[in-house]
Amino acid sequence: MMWAQPLFEVRRKFVVSLFSCYYQCILIHKRTLVNVKLKWVKDPVLDSVVSRTIQLKATSTLVSVIGSHPDCSLPIYSLSKHRGHLGLPQDLKISAFIRRYPNIFQEFYLPDSKGSPVPWYKLTSEALKIYDDEKHCVLEECYMDILNRLQKLLMLTKERLLPLQTIDQLRWDLGLPYDYENKMVAKHPELFSFVKLSDERVALKLLVWDDRLSVSHLELNNSDDENSNQALAFPIGFTRGFGLKKKCIEWLNEWQKLPYTSPYIDASHLDPRTDVSEKRIVGVFHELLHLTILKKAERKNVSNMRSPLALPQKFTKVFERHPGIFYISKKGDTQTVVLREAYDRDQLIEKHPLAHIREKYGSIMKKGFLDRSRGLYKKVRREVLKDDMVNLDRYEFESEEEIDGNLISDYDSDETGSDYR
């Protein structure tokens, strides 16, 4: 029976070791299921970033729409069809928005089939110069970079496929050209194909997986770290005045030590009820926002990606759970998710060349708005009306607002006017 004691000891050690591994597994997957709720604190600086880019997105999108037309001019009813991509408040007329910037959009009038004057818009020489710079940046200088962003977006999805409608919602954020299907996708049949979904929508599918692109921004920044494949921590920063309770600090510190799962690998083995899974979801959106030019996106546009990204229900709750990583701005008629680490106050830390071009748009927008407030807008507009409308005498305009109401009511009847600032 002398051998029974060692055998018993071996069994005991094996059971203890097994229990220890099981317990550690339980700790990893269960210990952070603490009911921690962090408050939302307003960040005026990042709110100002979102406010100005709402108008910037609308302006640059309209410039692209007009500039891509053969005659570089379009009537108001054609521009109205693109309202869904502009992100403007619902109570703001497209025509009213355009007229804020006479140094970007030149207004003129042509008669419709009934002889009624219809407002048309073309780009000024100053706007055309910036638009040409933008085309050079997107289609030449940064072509491969922007193409890779589209590839990486599709690589984040379960089936390497997204409906065109979903991509369209993120087009401006990713820096894709206005007509990206023809100017970019069609040029690479070895990479992409169009497929029809069961609901009759058209989707874009990535045909080739590129291992070189399957490295996340967080992994790239920690490539020299010995634990690069283990517990990568996200950069954290809070709004001034954001107070964290001790319990929350302890939870956050433990959460940061959890294993990091690359957003580019299959994570179906993870239990969605655990913080390891939650950290993976945070990683997916951390990477997605890094793919954008300005490191932000509308919440509704990423919410539409739940199924393609194979994420659980209510996955966007991670934005509220991690206000040190993401900031939710409530400016405008929507919510915008901003990646905190990308900004030093209201300035991007790393600016893409396309971001510099968008700043040029912002500068002339500011100048145009000031010119309008000084009365130049009304003076120029009346001169245009006199030149374009021979029988102007039958119109008795008393104010700029009345011009808006009388001349384009047939084309903007679904919108109401607003003194938008």
Side-chain angles (χ1 to χ4, degrees):
M1 298 295 292
M2 294 297 292
W3 52 270
Q5 183 67 22
L7 182 60
F8 173 78
E9 185 64 22
V10 169
R11 287 179 175 176
R12 187 187 69 81
K13 290 181 178 179
F14 174 75
V15 171
V16 170
S17 176
L18 185 64
F19 177 77
S20 176
C21 291
Y22 174 76
Y23 181 68
Q24 289 177 12
C25 181
I26 291 296
L27 279 180
I28 290 176
H29 288 278
K30 299 294 184 182
R31 64 181 175 179
T32 53
L33 287 178
V34 181
N35 185 20
V36 175
K37 185 176 181 181
L38 302 182
K39 62 181 179 179
W40 177 83
V41 176
K42 182 180 177 66
D43 189 325
V45 175
L46 290 181
D47 278 343
S48 68
V49 171
V50 172
S51 292
R52 68 173 179 253
T53 51
I54 288 175
Q55 301 177 47
L56 176 60
K57 177 182 178 180
T59 298
S60 63
T61 299
L62 287 168
V63 167
S64 296
V65 171
I66 297 173
S68 62
H69 194 267
D71 296 330
C72 288
S73 63
L74 284 171
I76 185 61
Y77 53 78
S78 293
L79 295 177
S80 296
K81 297 175 183 177
H82 300 273
R83 184 179 184 91
H85 294 146
L86 301 182
L88 293 174
Q90 289 300 316
D91 61 350
L92 175 62
K93 285 183 176 184
I94 295 178
S95 56
F97 175 79
I98 289 175
R99 288 167 182 161
R100 296 180 68 177
Y101 309 110
N103 58 340
I104 299 177
F105 306 103
Q106 185 175 338
E107 184 179 41
F108 62 101
Y109 287 81
L110 292 176
D112 62 11
S113 58
K114 298 179 181 179
S116 300
V118 178
W120 283 62
Y121 299 95
K122 61 182 179 181
L123 302 180
T124 64
S125 58
E126 188 176 9
L128 274 171
K129 173 63 171 64
I130 300 176
Y131 178 60
D132 288 340
D133 291 343
E134 182 180 14
K135 286 193 297 182
H136 175 77
C137 175
V138 173
L139 299 178
E140 295 183 40
E141 179 186 354
C142 299
Y143 181 84
M144 286 307 301
D145 172 77
I146 294 175
L147 179 68
N148 289 343
R149 288 170 191 263
L150 179 59
Q151 290 175 264
K152 288 170 75 76
L153 174 68
L154 295 172
M155 288 169 65
L156 287 175
T157 66
K158 179 175 59 176
E159 299 179 357
R160 288 182 271 172
L161 177 147
L162 277 174
L164 290 180
Q165 181 182 3
T166 301
I167 300 175
D168 289 345
Q169 292 170 339
L170 295 169
R171 182 197 63 80
W172 190 80
D173 297 316
L174 295 169
L176 295 172
Y178 170 69
D179 188 13
Y180 68 91
E181 300 99 318
N182 294 320
K183 294 180 179 176
M184 189 165 282
V185 173
K187 293 182 179 180
H188 296 278
E190 77 285 1
L191 293 178
F192 308 103
S193 70
F194 295 104
V195 298
K196 183 170 287 189
L197 303 177
S198 57
D199 58 5
E200 298 300 315
R201 289 186 300 169
V202 177
L204 183 65
K205 184 174 180 62
L206 182 68
L207 302 177
V208 181
W209 181 273
D210 191 337
D211 287 331
R212 297 172 304 166
L213 300 178
S214 62
V215 180
S216 71
H217 186 275
L218 190 64
E219 289 173 317
L220 194 61
N221 279 1
N222 290 272
S223 57
D224 297 331
D225 193 332
E226 294 180 356
N227 296 320
S228 59
N229 293 323
Q230 300 298 323
L232 298 184
F234 293 94
I236 299 289
F238 291 96
T239 306
R240 181 177 296 180
F242 194 105
L244 278 179
K245 295 182 180 179
K246 182 179 179 181
K247 176 183 175 181
C248 295
I249 295 175
E250 292 175 349
W251 167 77
L252 185 57
N253 290 336
E254 290 299 312
W255 184 87
Q256 288 275 44
K257 296 175 184 177
L258 293 174
Y260 171 82
T261 306
S262 170
Y264 293 105
I265 68 172
D266 181 13
S268 58
H269 62 285
L270 295 179
D271 185 342
R273 298 167 296 178
T274 64
D275 272 5
V276 173
S277 176
E278 182 191 62
K279 187 169 183 179
R280 196 259 175 180
I281 296 173
V282 170
V284 169
F285 289 111
H286 182 269
E287 179 70 1
L288 178 59
L289 291 177
H290 266 294
L291 293 180
T292 65
I293 301 298
L294 301 181
K295 314 307 178 193
K296 62 181 187 62
E298 288 187 44
R299 183 172 183 166
K300 64 182 181 182
N301 292 341
V302 298
S303 297
N304 294 335
M305 299 179 66
R306 187 189 75 80
S307 180
L309 294 174
L311 298 178
Q313 296 283 351
K314 299 181 180 180
F315 65 94
T316 59
K317 289 293 183 182
V318 298
F319 300 142
E320 282 91 357
R321 290 256 294 176
H322 297 277
I325 302 174
F326 309 108
Y327 173 65
I328 301 176
S329 174
K330 300 179 181 179
K331 285 292 182 180
D333 289 348
T334 185
Q335 293 186 6
T336 303
V337 184
V338 184
L339 191 62
R340 281 191 180 277
E341 70 188 69
Y343 283 86
D344 179 11
R345 293 191 58 77
D346 64 344
Q347 295 296 316
L348 273 171
I349 296 174
E350 297 180 6
K351 289 185 180 180
H352 190 277
L354 188 55
H356 286 291
I357 291 175
R358 290 177 178 178
E359 286 182 346
K360 293 181 182 179
Y361 280 125
S363 295
I364 62 172
M365 286 171 66
K366 183 177 180 180
K367 180 179 181 299
F369 184 77
L370 291 175
D371 288 344
R372 177 184 186 274
S373 64
R374 295 188 184 111
L376 178 61
Y377 166 77
K378 186 178 294 186
K379 178 182 178 181
V380 171
R381 186 135 176 264
R382 288 188 179 278
E383 290 176 353
V384 170
L385 284 170
K386 290 178 181 178
D387 291 338
D388 292 343
M389 298 169 62
V390 178
N391 54 350
L392 182 62
D393 292 340
R394 63 191 181 95
Y395 298 97
E396 296 180 357
F397 302 128
E398 295 182 0
S399 67
E400 179 180 317
E401 288 73 18
E402 188 175 339
I403 294 176
D404 286 341
N406 289 339
L407 277 184
I408 62 172
S409 59
D410 292 340
Y411 303 97
D412 277 317
S413 57
D414 59 330
E415 304 167 359
T416 55
S418 172
D419 187 17
Y420 182 70
R421 292 179 173 83

